[in-house]
Amino acid sequence: MEPVKLTAKDYKTSVPIVWCPGCGDFGVLNAMHQAAAELAIPPENLMVVSGIGCSSRIGGYVNAFGFNTIHGRALPIASGAKLARPEMTVWAAGGDGDGYSIGTNHFVHTIRRNSDLTYIVMDNNIYGLTKGQVSPTTPHGDVTKSTPMGNPDRPLNPLALALELGATFIAQGFSGNVKHLRDLIVQGTRHKGFALINVKSPCVTFRGRQEFTVVREHGVYLDESHDPSDWNQAHEVTQWSEKIPLGVIYKIEGVPTLDQVAADLQEKAREKQHFESTKDLLRIFH
Ligand code: SF4
Protein backbone atom coordinates (compact mmCIF):
# COMPACT_ATOMS: atom_id res chain seq x y z
CA MET A 1 0.00 0.00 0.00
CA GLU A 2 1.24 3.51 -0.87
CA PRO A 3 2.23 5.49 2.26
CA VAL A 4 -0.18 8.36 2.99
CA LYS A 5 1.32 11.67 1.90
CA LEU A 6 1.26 14.13 4.79
CA THR A 7 0.56 17.82 4.25
CA ALA A 8 1.23 20.88 6.43
CA LYS A 9 -2.35 20.56 7.73
CA ASP A 10 -1.52 17.19 9.29
CA TYR A 11 0.95 18.87 11.65
CA LYS A 12 -1.56 21.40 12.99
CA THR A 13 -3.23 20.82 16.36
CA SER A 14 -6.54 21.89 17.83
CA VAL A 15 -4.82 23.78 20.68
CA PRO A 16 -6.04 27.41 20.55
CA ILE A 17 -3.22 29.75 19.53
CA VAL A 18 -2.94 32.60 22.01
CA TRP A 19 -0.33 34.80 20.32
CA CYS A 20 -1.22 38.43 19.61
CA PRO A 21 -2.67 38.99 16.11
CA GLY A 22 0.20 39.71 13.72
CA CYS A 23 2.91 38.16 15.93
CA GLY A 24 5.88 36.98 13.87
CA ASP A 25 5.72 33.56 15.47
CA PHE A 26 2.73 32.64 13.25
CA GLY A 27 5.07 32.64 10.26
CA VAL A 28 7.54 30.39 12.09
CA LEU A 29 4.76 27.96 13.01
CA ASN A 30 3.58 27.80 9.38
CA ALA A 31 7.17 27.19 8.25
CA MET A 32 7.53 24.36 10.79
CA HIS A 33 4.28 22.70 9.61
CA GLN A 34 5.40 22.96 5.99
CA ALA A 35 8.93 21.74 6.73
CA ALA A 36 7.62 18.69 8.61
CA ALA A 37 5.42 17.84 5.60
CA GLU A 38 8.27 18.39 3.15
CA LEU A 39 10.50 16.10 5.23
CA ALA A 40 7.60 13.60 5.53
CA ILE A 41 8.35 13.03 9.20
CA PRO A 42 5.64 10.88 10.78
CA PRO A 43 4.33 12.89 13.77
CA GLU A 44 5.26 10.03 16.10
CA ASN A 45 8.90 10.45 15.01
CA LEU A 46 9.04 14.19 15.64
CA MET A 47 9.63 15.91 18.96
CA VAL A 48 9.43 19.64 19.65
CA VAL A 49 11.07 20.76 22.88
CA SER A 50 10.69 24.35 24.04
CA GLY A 51 11.55 26.55 27.00
CA ILE A 52 9.40 29.36 28.38
CA GLY A 53 8.11 32.45 26.61
CA CYS A 54 5.55 33.41 23.96
CA SER A 55 7.42 31.49 21.26
CA SER A 56 7.92 28.48 23.51
CA ARG A 57 4.20 27.77 23.27
CA ILE A 58 4.93 26.52 19.76
CA GLY A 59 5.33 22.88 20.80
CA GLY A 60 1.61 22.72 21.58
CA TYR A 61 0.78 23.88 18.07
CA VAL A 62 2.69 21.15 16.23
CA ASN A 63 1.26 17.65 15.90
CA ALA A 64 4.27 15.82 17.36
CA PHE A 65 5.61 14.82 20.74
CA GLY A 66 6.03 18.07 22.65
CA PHE A 67 7.71 19.13 25.86
CA ASN A 68 7.24 22.68 27.13
CA THR A 69 10.10 22.60 29.62
CA ILE A 70 11.56 25.17 32.01
CA HIS A 71 13.12 28.52 31.24
CA GLY A 72 16.29 28.24 29.16
CA ARG A 73 16.44 24.45 29.40
CA ALA A 74 15.08 23.34 26.04
CA LEU A 75 18.50 22.36 24.69
CA PRO A 76 19.68 19.91 27.39
CA ILE A 77 16.26 18.24 27.37
CA ALA A 78 16.24 18.05 23.57
CA SER A 79 19.77 16.59 23.66
CA GLY A 80 18.63 13.98 26.18
CA ALA A 81 15.65 13.07 24.00
CA LYS A 82 17.91 12.64 20.98
CA LEU A 83 20.31 10.44 22.98
CA ALA A 84 17.46 8.26 24.20
CA ARG A 85 15.74 8.04 20.79
CA PRO A 86 18.36 8.80 18.11
CA GLU A 87 15.98 7.74 15.36
CA MET A 88 13.66 10.66 16.14
CA THR A 89 13.84 14.12 14.63
CA VAL A 90 14.23 16.63 17.45
CA TRP A 91 13.49 20.32 17.10
CA ALA A 92 14.18 22.70 19.97
CA ALA A 93 12.45 26.07 19.91
CA GLY A 94 12.19 29.24 21.94
CA GLY A 95 12.93 32.92 22.07
CA ASP A 96 16.01 35.09 22.37
CA GLY A 97 15.53 35.62 26.12
CA ASP A 98 15.06 31.92 26.74
CA GLY A 99 17.95 30.78 24.55
CA TYR A 100 20.50 33.57 24.70
CA SER A 101 20.10 34.75 28.29
CA ILE A 102 18.69 32.16 30.69
CA GLY A 103 19.87 29.33 28.45
CA THR A 104 23.24 30.68 27.27
CA ASN A 105 25.24 28.02 29.11
CA HIS A 106 23.23 25.28 27.41
CA PHE A 107 23.59 27.02 24.05
CA VAL A 108 27.38 26.93 24.48
CA HIS A 109 27.64 23.28 25.50
CA THR A 110 25.05 21.94 23.06
CA ILE A 111 27.02 23.49 20.21
CA ARG A 112 30.32 22.19 21.63
CA ARG A 113 28.91 18.66 21.68
CA ASN A 114 27.27 18.96 18.24
CA SER A 115 23.96 17.47 19.40
CA ASP A 116 22.04 16.38 16.34
CA LEU A 117 19.06 18.69 16.61
CA THR A 118 17.63 21.81 15.02
CA TYR A 119 17.29 24.86 17.24
CA ILE A 120 14.77 27.42 16.00
CA VAL A 121 15.09 30.69 17.89
CA MET A 122 12.35 33.26 17.41
CA ASP A 123 14.46 36.34 17.96
CA ASN A 124 12.26 39.39 18.58
CA ASN A 125 14.72 41.46 20.62
CA ILE A 126 12.40 41.63 23.67
CA TYR A 127 10.82 39.61 26.48
CA GLY A 128 7.23 39.43 25.18
CA LEU A 129 5.52 37.09 27.66
CA THR A 130 6.57 39.20 30.65
CA LYS A 131 5.45 42.36 28.83
CA GLY A 132 8.36 44.07 27.18
CA GLN A 133 11.62 43.99 29.12
CA VAL A 134 15.05 44.30 27.53
CA SER A 135 16.45 41.04 26.13
CA PRO A 136 20.00 40.00 25.21
CA THR A 137 19.44 40.95 21.55
CA THR A 138 17.70 44.31 22.15
CA PRO A 139 19.72 46.95 20.25
CA HIS A 140 21.84 49.36 22.27
CA GLY A 141 19.91 52.48 23.26
CA ASP A 142 16.41 51.06 22.68
CA VAL A 143 13.76 52.08 25.19
CA THR A 144 11.93 49.13 26.76
CA LYS A 145 9.79 48.71 29.88
CA SER A 146 12.93 47.89 31.89
CA THR A 147 15.24 50.40 30.17
CA PRO A 148 13.22 53.65 30.10
CA MET A 149 16.40 55.65 29.46
CA GLY A 150 17.59 53.33 26.69
CA ASN A 151 19.34 49.96 26.73
CA PRO A 152 22.82 50.56 28.16
CA ASP A 153 24.13 47.16 26.99
CA ARG A 154 25.46 46.12 23.62
CA PRO A 155 23.40 43.32 22.07
CA LEU A 156 24.57 39.73 21.88
CA ASN A 157 25.30 38.49 18.35
CA PRO A 158 24.01 34.88 18.33
CA LEU A 159 25.29 34.13 14.82
CA ALA A 160 28.85 35.21 15.63
CA LEU A 161 28.74 33.41 18.98
CA ALA A 162 27.56 30.16 17.39
CA LEU A 163 30.28 30.41 14.74
CA GLU A 164 33.02 30.98 17.34
CA LEU A 165 31.73 28.02 19.37
CA GLY A 166 32.04 25.70 16.38
CA ALA A 167 28.41 25.28 15.34
CA THR A 168 28.21 23.08 12.24
CA PHE A 169 25.11 24.75 10.69
CA ILE A 170 24.11 28.38 11.14
CA ALA A 171 21.27 30.07 9.30
CA GLN A 172 19.02 33.08 9.68
CA GLY A 173 15.45 33.38 8.48
CA PHE A 174 12.56 35.83 8.64
CA SER A 175 9.04 35.00 9.77
CA GLY A 176 7.76 37.30 7.02
CA ASN A 177 9.12 34.90 4.38
CA VAL A 178 7.64 31.51 5.25
CA LYS A 179 8.82 29.70 2.14
CA HIS A 180 12.45 30.71 2.65
CA LEU A 181 12.23 29.83 6.35
CA ARG A 182 10.66 26.46 5.55
CA ASP A 183 13.63 25.68 3.29
CA LEU A 184 16.07 26.64 6.05
CA ILE A 185 14.30 24.34 8.53
CA VAL A 186 14.37 21.52 5.99
CA GLN A 187 18.11 22.02 5.41
CA GLY A 188 18.84 22.34 9.14
CA THR A 189 16.90 19.15 9.88
CA ARG A 190 18.73 17.21 7.16
CA HIS A 191 22.06 18.40 8.53
CA LYS A 192 23.75 15.82 10.75
CA GLY A 193 24.65 17.88 13.80
CA PHE A 194 23.55 20.99 15.64
CA ALA A 195 21.68 23.44 13.41
CA LEU A 196 20.94 26.94 14.62
CA ILE A 197 18.17 28.77 12.79
CA ASN A 198 17.86 32.26 14.19
CA VAL A 199 14.61 33.79 12.99
CA LYS A 200 13.84 37.47 12.88
CA SER A 201 10.33 37.13 14.28
CA PRO A 202 8.89 40.51 15.29
CA CYS A 203 6.95 41.10 18.50
CA VAL A 204 4.30 43.48 17.18
CA THR A 205 2.97 44.31 20.64
CA PHE A 206 6.14 45.42 22.38
CA ARG A 207 8.34 46.42 19.44
CA GLY A 208 5.76 47.37 16.84
CA ARG A 209 4.74 46.30 13.36
CA GLN A 210 7.50 48.39 11.78
CA GLU A 211 9.93 45.62 12.79
CA PHE A 212 8.69 43.68 9.73
CA THR A 213 9.58 46.69 7.55
CA VAL A 214 13.03 46.91 9.13
CA VAL A 215 13.81 43.30 8.16
CA ARG A 216 12.30 43.77 4.68
CA GLU A 217 14.41 46.87 4.08
CA HIS A 218 17.68 45.65 5.59
CA GLY A 219 17.46 41.92 4.91
CA VAL A 220 19.91 40.58 2.30
CA TYR A 221 19.32 37.06 0.95
CA LEU A 222 22.65 35.27 0.59
CA ASP A 223 23.18 34.08 -2.98
CA GLU A 224 25.70 31.73 -4.65
CA SER A 225 28.49 34.28 -4.14
CA HIS A 226 28.42 33.27 -0.47
CA ASP A 227 30.22 30.00 0.28
CA PRO A 228 28.77 28.60 3.55
CA SER A 229 31.69 26.20 3.94
CA ASP A 230 34.11 29.13 4.19
CA TRP A 231 34.50 30.12 7.85
CA ASN A 232 36.02 33.52 7.01
CA GLN A 233 33.17 34.46 4.69
CA ALA A 234 30.68 33.33 7.32
CA HIS A 235 32.48 35.38 9.94
CA GLU A 236 32.32 38.48 7.76
CA VAL A 237 28.57 38.01 7.28
CA THR A 238 27.96 37.66 11.02
CA GLN A 239 29.63 41.05 11.54
CA TRP A 240 27.27 43.00 9.26
CA SER A 241 25.83 45.94 11.14
CA GLU A 242 23.51 47.69 8.67
CA LYS A 243 22.39 44.66 6.66
CA ILE A 244 20.62 41.55 8.01
CA PRO A 245 21.90 38.31 6.45
CA LEU A 246 19.21 35.78 5.50
CA GLY A 247 20.05 32.24 4.42
CA VAL A 248 22.58 29.56 5.31
CA ILE A 249 25.60 31.38 6.71
CA TYR A 250 27.81 28.46 7.65
CA LYS A 251 27.69 24.71 7.20
CA ILE A 252 30.23 21.92 7.60
CA GLU A 253 29.67 18.19 7.56
CA GLY A 254 31.46 15.24 9.13
CA VAL A 255 31.82 16.45 12.73
CA PRO A 256 30.83 13.61 15.11
CA THR A 257 27.52 14.22 16.85
CA LEU A 258 26.77 13.67 20.52
CA ASP A 259 24.66 10.55 19.85
CA GLN A 260 27.41 9.06 17.66
CA VAL A 261 30.05 9.72 20.34
CA ALA A 262 27.78 8.21 23.02
CA ALA A 263 27.14 5.10 20.89
CA ASP A 264 30.92 4.66 20.35
CA LEU A 265 31.56 4.98 24.08
CA GLN A 266 28.88 2.39 24.83
CA GLU A 267 30.45 0.00 22.35
CA LYS A 268 33.92 0.50 23.85
CA ALA A 269 32.55 -0.03 27.37
CA ARG A 270 30.91 -3.29 26.23
CA GLU A 271 34.17 -4.49 24.66
CA LYS A 272 36.12 -3.59 27.80
CA GLN A 273 33.61 -5.39 29.99
CA HIS A 274 33.83 -8.46 27.76
CA PHE A 275 37.63 -8.33 27.82
CA GLU A 276 37.76 -7.98 31.63
CA SER A 277 35.32 -10.84 32.20
CA THR A 278 37.28 -13.07 29.77
CA LYS A 279 40.47 -12.24 31.70
CA ASP A 280 38.77 -13.18 34.98
CA LEU A 281 37.60 -16.44 33.46
CA LEU A 282 41.11 -17.31 32.28
CA ARG A 283 42.46 -16.51 35.75
CA ILE A 284 40.11 -19.13 37.26
CA PHE A 285 41.40 -21.84 34.95
CA HIS A 286 45.13 -21.08 35.51
FE1 SF4 B 1 4.08 37.75 19.93
FE2 SF4 B 1 4.95 39.84 21.30
FE3 SF4 B 1 2.41 39.11 21.48
FE4 SF4 B 1 4.31 37.62 22.58
S1 SF4 B 1 3.75 39.69 23.18
S2 SF4 B 1 2.57 36.86 21.36
S3 SF4 B 1 5.99 37.86 21.09
S4 SF4 B 1 3.44 39.87 19.65
PDB file of all heavy atoms in Angstrom, residues 18-20 23-25 54 124 128-129 202-206, ligand 1:
ATOM      1  N   VAL A  18      -2.652  31.397  21.216  1.00  0.00           N
ATOM      2  CA  VAL A  18      -2.944  32.598  22.015  1.00  0.00           C
ATOM      3  C   VAL A  18      -1.969  33.751  21.741  1.00  0.00           C
ATOM      4  O   VAL A  18      -1.907  34.691  22.515  1.00  0.00           O
ATOM      5  CB  VAL A  18      -2.967  32.258  23.533  1.00  0.00           C
ATOM      6  CG1 VAL A  18      -4.105  31.332  23.878  1.00  0.00           C
ATOM      7  CG2 VAL A  18      -1.635  31.658  23.980  1.00  0.00           C
ATOM      8  N   TRP A  19      -1.214  33.685  20.651  1.00  0.00           N
ATOM      9  CA  TRP A  19      -0.327  34.804  20.319  1.00  0.00           C
ATOM     10  C   TRP A  19      -1.144  36.016  19.908  1.00  0.00           C
ATOM     11  O   TRP A  19      -2.273  35.898  19.398  1.00  0.00           O
ATOM     12  CB  TRP A  19       0.602  34.428  19.162  1.00  0.00           C
ATOM     13  CG  TRP A  19       1.638  33.387  19.503  1.00  0.00           C
ATOM     14  CD1 TRP A  19       2.298  33.236  20.698  1.00  0.00           C
ATOM     15  CD2 TRP A  19       2.140  32.356  18.642  1.00  0.00           C
ATOM     16  NE1 TRP A  19       3.185  32.182  20.611  1.00  0.00           N
ATOM     17  CE2 TRP A  19       3.112  31.628  19.370  1.00  0.00           C
ATOM     18  CE3 TRP A  19       1.895  31.984  17.320  1.00  0.00           C
ATOM     19  CZ2 TRP A  19       3.818  30.550  18.834  1.00  0.00           C
ATOM     20  CZ3 TRP A  19       2.584  30.916  16.778  1.00  0.00           C
ATOM     21  CH2 TRP A  19       3.540  30.207  17.530  1.00  0.00           C
ATOM     22  N   CYS A  20      -0.549  37.212  20.045  1.00  0.00           N
ATOM     23  CA  CYS A  20      -1.221  38.433  19.607  1.00  0.00           C
ATOM     24  C   CYS A  20      -1.408  38.378  18.085  1.00  0.00           C
ATOM     25  O   CYS A  20      -0.538  37.857  17.376  1.00  0.00           O
ATOM     26  CB  CYS A  20      -0.369  39.664  19.904  1.00  0.00           C
ATOM     27  SG  CYS A  20       0.211  39.796  21.593  1.00  0.00           S
ATOM     28  N   CYS A  23       1.624  38.572  15.359  1.00  0.00           N
ATOM     29  CA  CYS A  23       2.914  38.157  15.933  1.00  0.00           C
ATOM     30  C   CYS A  23       3.734  37.385  14.877  1.00  0.00           C
ATOM     31  O   CYS A  23       3.194  36.551  14.144  1.00  0.00           O
ATOM     32  CB  CYS A  23       2.667  37.255  17.142  1.00  0.00           C
ATOM     33  SG  CYS A  23       4.192  36.567  17.826  1.00  0.00           S
ATOM     34  N   GLY A  24       5.016  37.654  14.831  1.00  0.00           N
ATOM     35  CA  GLY A  24       5.882  36.978  13.865  1.00  0.00           C
ATOM     36  C   GLY A  24       5.915  35.472  14.026  1.00  0.00           C
ATOM     37  O   GLY A  24       6.187  34.744  13.061  1.00  0.00           O
ATOM     38  N   ASP A  25       5.614  35.006  15.211  1.00  0.00           N
ATOM     39  CA  ASP A  25       5.719  33.562  15.468  1.00  0.00           C
ATOM     40  C   ASP A  25       4.734  32.735  14.626  1.00  0.00           C
ATOM     41  O   ASP A  25       4.958  31.542  14.400  1.00  0.00           O
ATOM     42  CB  ASP A  25       5.529  33.266  16.960  1.00  0.00           C
ATOM     43  CG  ASP A  25       6.632  33.897  17.812  1.00  0.00           C
ATOM     44  OD1 ASP A  25       7.634  34.371  17.223  1.00  0.00           O
ATOM     45  OD2 ASP A  25       6.503  33.925  19.044  1.00  0.00           O
ATOM     46  N   CYS A  54       6.623  33.460  24.962  1.00  0.00           N
ATOM     47  CA  CYS A  54       5.546  33.407  23.960  1.00  0.00           C
ATOM     48  C   CYS A  54       5.855  32.337  22.929  1.00  0.00           C
ATOM     49  O   CYS A  54       5.035  31.463  22.633  1.00  0.00           O
ATOM     50  CB  CYS A  54       5.417  34.752  23.247  1.00  0.00           C
ATOM     51  SG  CYS A  54       4.858  36.093  24.281  1.00  0.00           S
ATOM     52  N   ASN A 124      13.057  38.168  18.756  1.00  0.00           N
ATOM     53  CA  ASN A 124      12.260  39.394  18.576  1.00  0.00           C
ATOM     54  C   ASN A 124      12.815  40.566  19.366  1.00  0.00           C
ATOM     55  O   ASN A 124      12.169  41.601  19.499  1.00  0.00           O
ATOM     56  CB  ASN A 124      10.780  39.135  18.929  1.00  0.00           C
ATOM     57  CG  ASN A 124      10.613  38.640  20.356  1.00  0.00           C
ATOM     58  OD1 ASN A 124      11.545  38.728  21.161  1.00  0.00           O
ATOM     59  ND2 ASN A 124       9.442  38.130  20.679  1.00  0.00           N
ATOM     60  N   GLY A 128       8.633  39.140  25.490  1.00  0.00           N
ATOM     61  CA  GLY A 128       7.231  39.432  25.182  1.00  0.00           C
ATOM     62  C   GLY A 128       6.273  38.943  26.257  1.00  0.00           C
ATOM     63  O   GLY A 128       5.405  39.679  26.708  1.00  0.00           O
ATOM     64  N   LEU A 129       6.470  37.697  26.713  1.00  0.00           N
ATOM     65  CA  LEU A 129       5.516  37.092  27.656  1.00  0.00           C
ATOM     66  C   LEU A 129       5.426  37.892  28.962  1.00  0.00           C
ATOM     67  O   LEU A 129       4.356  38.037  29.535  1.00  0.00           O
ATOM     68  CB  LEU A 129       5.932  35.642  27.961  1.00  0.00           C
ATOM     69  CG  LEU A 129       4.929  34.819  28.765  1.00  0.00           C
ATOM     70  CD1 LEU A 129       3.710  34.476  27.917  1.00  0.00           C
ATOM     71  CD2 LEU A 129       5.559  33.519  29.265  1.00  0.00           C
ATOM     72  N   PRO A 202       9.285  39.329  14.528  1.00  0.00           N
ATOM     73  CA  PRO A 202       8.888  40.511  15.288  1.00  0.00           C
ATOM     74  C   PRO A 202       7.784  40.317  16.336  1.00  0.00           C
ATOM     75  O   PRO A 202       6.807  39.595  16.104  1.00  0.00           O
ATOM     76  CB  PRO A 202       8.419  41.484  14.196  1.00  0.00           C
ATOM     77  CG  PRO A 202       9.159  41.057  12.974  1.00  0.00           C
ATOM     78  CD  PRO A 202       9.222  39.548  13.069  1.00  0.00           C
ATOM     79  N   CYS A 203       7.979  40.998  17.455  1.00  0.00           N
ATOM     80  CA  CYS A 203       6.945  41.103  18.503  1.00  0.00           C
ATOM     81  C   CYS A 203       6.216  42.403  18.212  1.00  0.00           C
ATOM     82  O   CYS A 203       6.730  43.486  18.471  1.00  0.00           O
ATOM     83  CB  CYS A 203       7.593  41.148  19.887  1.00  0.00           C
ATOM     84  SG  CYS A 203       6.439  41.602  21.199  1.00  0.00           S
ATOM     85  N   VAL A 204       5.011  42.275  17.618  1.00  0.00           N
ATOM     86  CA  VAL A 204       4.302  43.482  17.185  1.00  0.00           C
ATOM     87  C   VAL A 204       3.767  44.284  18.367  1.00  0.00           C
ATOM     88  O   VAL A 204       3.554  45.481  18.270  1.00  0.00           O
ATOM     89  CB  VAL A 204       3.149  43.131  16.207  1.00  0.00           C
ATOM     90  CG1 VAL A 204       3.697  42.593  14.903  1.00  0.00           C
ATOM     91  CG2 VAL A 204       2.160  42.144  16.825  1.00  0.00           C
ATOM     92  N   THR A 205       3.561  43.619  19.491  1.00  0.00           N
ATOM     93  CA  THR A 205       2.969  44.313  20.635  1.00  0.00           C
ATOM     94  C   THR A 205       3.986  45.183  21.371  1.00  0.00           C
ATOM     95  O   THR A 205       3.701  46.323  21.717  1.00  0.00           O
ATOM     96  CB  THR A 205       2.344  43.283  21.603  1.00  0.00           C
ATOM     97  OG1 THR A 205       1.351  42.575  20.875  1.00  0.00           O
ATOM     98  CG2 THR A 205       1.717  43.945  22.814  1.00  0.00           C
ATOM     99  N   PHE A 206       5.179  44.649  21.580  1.00  0.00           N
ATOM    100  CA  PHE A 206       6.138  45.420  22.380  1.00  0.00           C
ATOM    101  C   PHE A 206       7.265  46.054  21.565  1.00  0.00           C
ATOM    102  O   PHE A 206       8.059  46.813  22.104  1.00  0.00           O
ATOM    103  CB  PHE A 206       6.691  44.551  23.520  1.00  0.00           C
ATOM    104  CG  PHE A 206       5.615  44.208  24.508  1.00  0.00           C
ATOM    105  CD1 PHE A 206       5.103  42.922  24.577  1.00  0.00           C
ATOM    106  CD2 PHE A 206       5.071  45.185  25.333  1.00  0.00           C
ATOM    107  CE1 PHE A 206       4.074  42.611  25.454  1.00  0.00           C
ATOM    108  CE2 PHE A 206       4.040  44.880  26.215  1.00  0.00           C
ATOM    109  CZ  PHE A 206       3.537  43.586  26.283  1.00  0.00           C
TER     110      PHE A 206
HETATM  111 FE1  SF4 B   1       4.081  37.748  19.925  1.00  0.00          FE
HETATM  112 FE2  SF4 B   1       4.952  39.844  21.297  1.00  0.00          FE
HETATM  113 FE3  SF4 B   1       2.407  39.108  21.482  1.00  0.00          FE
HETATM  114 FE4  SF4 B   1       4.307  37.624  22.577  1.00  0.00          FE
HETATM  115  S1  SF4 B   1       3.750  39.685  23.180  1.00  0.00           S
HETATM  116  S2  SF4 B   1       2.570  36.862  21.360  1.00  0.00           S
HETATM  117  S3  SF4 B   1       5.986  37.864  21.091  1.00  0.00           S
HETATM  118  S4  SF4 B   1       3.442  39.866  19.648  1.00  0.00           S
END
